[in-house]
Amino acid sequence: MPFRFDRKEHLALAWTLAKWMLLGTWVGILAGAASFVFLRSLEWATSRQAEQPNLLFALPLAGALIAFAYDRFGRGVAMGNDLLLEQIHNPSATVPFRMAPMILLSTVATHLFGGSAGREGTALQMGGTLADLAAGPFRLGKQDRRMMLMAGVSAGFGSVFGTPMAGAVFGLEVLATGRMKYDALVPCLTASIVGDLVCRGLGLRHHLYEPAVGPLPPIDARMLLWCVLAGAVFAGAGALFSESTHAVQTLSKRWVGAGWARALLGGGVVVGMTLALGSRDYNGLSLPLIEASFGQKVLLGAFLVKIAITAVTLGTGFKGGEVTPLFCVGATLGNSFAQVAHLPLGMFAALGFVAVFAGAANTPLACAIMGIELFGGGLAVPLAVVCTVSYLLGGHRGIYSSQRIGESKSSHVDVLSETVGEVRASGVRVRRPRIFERRGTDEGP
């Protein structure tokens, strides 16, 4: 076959590359700057809560005000991350700009007064909102606007955690379980890298976890079998987290009609739980508890306490993300698993850190890459194992209700719904497992 070079094809591809590198850079600049402002605000709120612990007693009132503000001004953006996922799947109306300042202020308030929440939700919503705003002057079509939103999600994730590679993959992977589309790879990768560079360039220094893991044992067959077992345990924790948060949300709406009253009640419950525990380790981001999980033994049931206090906080109307609480759940559970099995604490705290998130968010590749970025390449194989097992055994539910079911996780499970949220209502159909699939109606294995 003679050599063939299609000049028009390659010029078109070069134009596509240049176009999305420029647009991705613009999204990354906006999202990175927003993440810097948010993380600095969060640092202030966390330090104020530590300096003035009595602020906790105002948590119910803060929750009522947050819920009232969303009921009065933010009904169109109250869905948060799920609204972004819906707009990516079916681009229609522009994401209202008020989503960004409302989620920023409400998340900072949640942390200032001692609620248990994370930060990824805020970063994703700000990144997505700013990306959609940036798309306006260019008069982009639906497909291009969809890719801008995906870039905003990647930039928000990558910049808020300091993991640009994981951020890029997260933006591609979170849309649908079992399926990734690579058309947005360039904008997602560009936006995530630029967002992280901007956030760091403005002076933000992310926490370094790799030294805390300590020396690693030989990664042999025995250790990998322990990783498989740990992955199954982490899958259960991720499912428990997502189902608990959803259950609290559903029951509180059934029992209490007004949003402000639900948040008032939820804030009171969190205050009561904190006083009963006699510790503030489970409020806010719980970063000291996460750090302790890498080097010392923690309470065996610490992960259950973090799940409970976070489920009440987020399920009753407070704002924030789920990921950092999932990091805490995973790190403390990994620590507990290592204590019981007499395994290295730091290693299994690191594995749990990302694997519980992988199961709850249905994003195994992004989480494995995140683990490598945070903990180093020495854990690459164990990270891949625990994230894959957690993802598979975590089922077809998760923390993002608008996440679509791209492919069933098993040929023996028929998913009857289009989204993760709908699975809770309609469930799945399980067929009798066979060791070998039949090739037709009449043939044997």
Side-chain angles (χ1 to χ4, degrees):
M1 178 181 292
F3 178 79
R4 180 178 179 181
F5 179 81
D6 192 326
R7 180 173 58 85
K8 292 183 178 179
E9 176 190 2
H10 288 86
L11 284 175
L13 294 175
W15 163 246
T16 299
L17 177 64
K19 166 187 171 181
W20 284 114
M21 286 187 68
L22 288 172
L23 290 175
T25 298
W26 179 226
V27 171
I29 291 171
L30 295 175
S35 289
F36 173 80
V37 172
F38 168 58
L39 291 173
R40 281 287 187 245
S41 301
L42 207 55
E43 289 176 359
W44 171 83
T46 301
S47 62
R48 292 290 291 176
Q49 167 61 211
E51 294 167 0
Q52 299 186 21
N54 287 337
L55 286 171
L56 175 69
F57 297 103
L59 181 64
L61 178 59
L65 291 174
I66 290 171
F68 175 79
Y70 269 86
D71 185 61
R72 180 70 177 81
F73 305 107
R75 290 191 177 185
V77 299
M79 289 178 61
N81 293 335
D82 287 317
L83 174 62
L84 288 180
L85 293 182
E86 286 187 0
Q87 285 298 310
I88 292 172
H89 290 307
N90 296 302
S92 54
T94 303
V95 177
F97 174 73
R98 63 181 179 276
M99 173 184 272
M102 289 192 71
I103 190 62
L104 170 64
L105 295 174
S106 58
T107 302
V108 171
T110 296
H111 285 273
L112 175 63
F113 294 100
S116 176
R119 49 193 171 181
E120 126 283 346
T122 307
L124 299 190
Q125 291 175 51
M126 291 194 302
T129 302
L130 293 173
D132 209 28
L133 181 68
F138 297 102
R139 299 183 180 275
L140 301 177
K142 285 188 175 183
Q143 179 65 11
D144 284 355
R145 179 170 167 261
R146 168 182 170 272
M147 293 168 68
M148 289 285 281
L149 286 170
M150 293 173 67
V153 168
S154 290
F157 190 97
S159 60
V160 83
F161 293 121
T163 54
M165 297 302 296
V169 176
F170 181 83
L172 299 171
E173 192 177 23
V174 72
L175 301 181
T177 63
R179 184 182 299 168
M180 289 199 339
K181 294 189 67 175
Y182 290 94
D183 57 345
L185 178 59
V186 173
C188 286
L189 180 61
T190 303
S192 187
I193 292 174
V194 172
D196 178 56
L197 290 174
V198 168
C199 197
R200 294 176 189 270
L202 290 172
L204 200 285
R205 294 293 177 265
H206 294 283
H207 188 79
L208 297 177
Y209 286 102
E210 185 174 357
V213 176
L216 298 177
I219 308 301
D220 52 18
R222 174 181 170 275
M223 186 58 67
L224 291 179
L225 287 175
W226 277 117
C227 290
V228 172
L229 180 57
V233 174
F234 297 147
L240 179 61
F241 180 96
S242 60
E243 292 303 303
S244 298
T245 304
H246 176 74
V248 171
Q249 185 180 49
T250 301
L251 293 175
S252 63
K253 286 183 177 180
R254 183 182 304 170
W255 294 339
V256 183
W260 65 266
R262 290 195 296 271
L264 186 72
L265 176 62
V269 172
V270 171
V271 172
M273 294 173 69
T274 304
L275 295 178
L277 291 167
S279 170
R280 302 294 178 94
D281 289 346
Y282 304 94
N283 300 80
L285 296 172
S286 296
L287 294 180
L289 182 57
I290 294 175
E291 184 68 26
S293 299
F294 289 96
Q296 63 191 63
K297 294 181 178 180
V298 300
L299 181 70
L300 290 179
F303 71 98
L304 292 173
V305 179
K306 185 61 177 178
I307 288 175
I309 199 168
T310 306
V312 173
T313 299
L314 297 179
T316 56
F318 289 87
K319 298 299 179 180
E322 298 94 346
V323 173
T324 307
L326 283 168
F327 290 162
C328 181
V329 170
T332 52
L333 177 56
N335 181 287
S336 299
F337 183 89
Q339 288 184 54
V340 173
H342 304 290
L343 296 166
L345 297 179
M347 173 180 172
F348 279 85
L351 296 178
F353 186 100
V354 292
V356 172
F357 174 34
N362 295 306
T363 54
L365 297 180
C367 290
I369 293 171
M370 176 181 235
I372 294 171
E373 288 184 291
L374 292 176
F375 306 118
L379 275 177
V381 174
L383 285 165
V385 170
V386 294
C387 288
T388 300
V389 173
S390 181
Y391 162 76
L392 179 63
L393 298 184
H396 293 86
R397 304 183 184 187
I399 56 177
Y400 302 122
S401 295
S402 294
Q403 186 180 52
R404 291 194 175 180
I405 308 296
E407 297 286 347
S408 173
K409 296 182 182 182
S410 170
S411 60
H412 303 298
V413 177
D414 294 326
V415 182
L416 308 177
S417 304
E418 183 176 307
T419 66
V420 164
E422 292 172 357
V423 170
R424 291 193 175 95
S426 57
V428 298
R429 181 174 61 203
V430 180
R431 289 175 280 158
R432 183 178 178 180
R434 295 178 182 272
I435 297 178
F436 298 103
E437 291 291 337
R438 294 184 180 272
R439 294 181 178 176
T441 57
D442 299 325
E443 295 183 10

